[in-house]
Amino acid sequence: PPSSLCLRGTGPWRMQEAWQRDIMREFLAEFMSTYVMMVFGLGSVAQKVLGGNDYGTYLTINLGFGFGVTMGIHVGGGISGAHMNSAITFTSCVLGQTPWKKFPVYTMGQCFGSFLAAVTIYGLYYEALIRYTNGNLTVTGPRATAGIFATYPAPHMSLWKGFIDELFLTGILQLCLLVITDKKNSPALQGTHALVIGILIITIGLSLGMNTGYAINPARDLPPRIFTSIAGWGNEVFTAGNSWWWVPVVAPTLGAFMGAIFYLVFIGNVNRPRNQNVRIQGSRSHHPIIPPSNKWNPKSFRVKREGPGF
């Protein structure tokens, strides 16, 4: 007699298993891409702080983070889109470009990758760290080393000026990401998105990074900060800078959303012929940064999705 239970291997089970397999791959893609980005970025800061000008400068820090982003995109771009930034993921979900059910998956992957990168850099540079600090791990002062892992505002910055700074920088980041990938505007050449986005990060750091260290990414700042509180720097990592810790979490999230809205309202959908804004019903982009490819499947009425993004 027919059973009312779904047997393993039948349609519903296969769909559930496929979804679980895909969501796990996307989690791992965000985890690994963020890990790679953060290892290169934090490593460049560690070399500058612990080795002085012999091993790094402010330029090398920006290069480390910029090309770390480029490598991270190549690691996970074809699977999850390589957001590597929970503010970008949040904006993508708000705009309906990524399902909300993926938001915690992507965010957890990003945070775990960032945390593990901090652990890795701590382990690789442990001897140099102890020698530089004489075993006294501090957040502020001439031998402060907490800034290797998380951002802190410059002495001339107040809390709310720093908030506005991070808000603006992340808005610029999101706006430029949309410009780079908007095929109806002037996008980067096919296959160069990862490199151009890496150059964008370098440019933001070189021109606008002095005030707050340009966190522009909650997943870049909070997990390493939590690690430093555990590893010996203590709770001062949360109280320093007038309790600065929450600014790199909240301001980038709001800034990315505002940057996307600004672009879509004033540039993305304005001053274009009406027929350029027509979208094929049923199509959607895999990622808010990289647009769908031109490969078309007439059976599913869906554009095949490919390409990495930050």
Side-chain angles (χ1 to χ4, degrees), residues 137-147 152 233 236 240-241:
L137 303 179
T138 58
V139 179
T140 58
R143 292 283 174 172
T145 49
Y152 295 87
W233 283 266
E236 190 180 355

Side-chain angles (χ1 to χ4, degrees), residues 107-118:
T107 301
M108 285 190 296
Q110 293 156 6
C111 289
F112 288 157
S114 183
F115 187 92
L116 183 59

Side-chain angles (χ1 to χ4, degrees), residues 3 9 11 17 73 121 179 186 193 221 223 245 247 264:
S3 173
E17 289 176 351
I73 292 173
I121 295 302
V179 170
S186 182
H193 291 91
D221 195 85
W245 71 270
V247 174
L264 294 175

Side-chain angles (χ1 to χ4, degrees), residues 70-134:
T70 295
M71 291 300 103
I73 292 173
H74 284 295
V75 168
I79 300 171
S80 68
H83 293 198
M84 299 182 287
N85 186 331
S86 53
I88 300 297
T89 302
F90 174 81
T91 299
S92 175
C93 292
V94 170
L95 298 180
Q97 297 167 322
T98 298
W100 277 107
K101 63 185 178 183
K102 291 187 178 183
F103 177 74
V105 177
Y106 278 41
T107 301
M108 285 190 296
Q110 293 156 6
C111 289
F112 288 157
S114 183
F115 187 92
L116 183 59
V119 175
T120 301
I121 295 302
Y122 178 82
L124 291 175
Y125 287 94
Y126 179 78
E127 287 78 10
L129 183 65
I130 296 302
R131 183 180 60 184
Y132 179 80
T133 62
N134 293 319

Side-chain angles (χ1 to χ4, degrees), residues 281-294:
Q281 185 174 3
S283 67
R284 67 180 177 89
S285 174
H286 176 67
H287 185 260
I289 306 306
I290 301 301
S293 71
N294 293 324

Side-chain angles (χ1 to χ4, degrees), residues 11-31:
W13 271 107
R14 289 177 180 174
M15 291 178 62
Q16 183 179 5
E17 289 176 351
W19 183 85
Q20 291 174 346
R21 184 167 57 250
D22 289 345
I23 205 70
M24 179 56 67
R25 289 184 72 229
E26 291 176 354
F27 169 83
L28 292 174
E30 287 297 314
F31 171 81

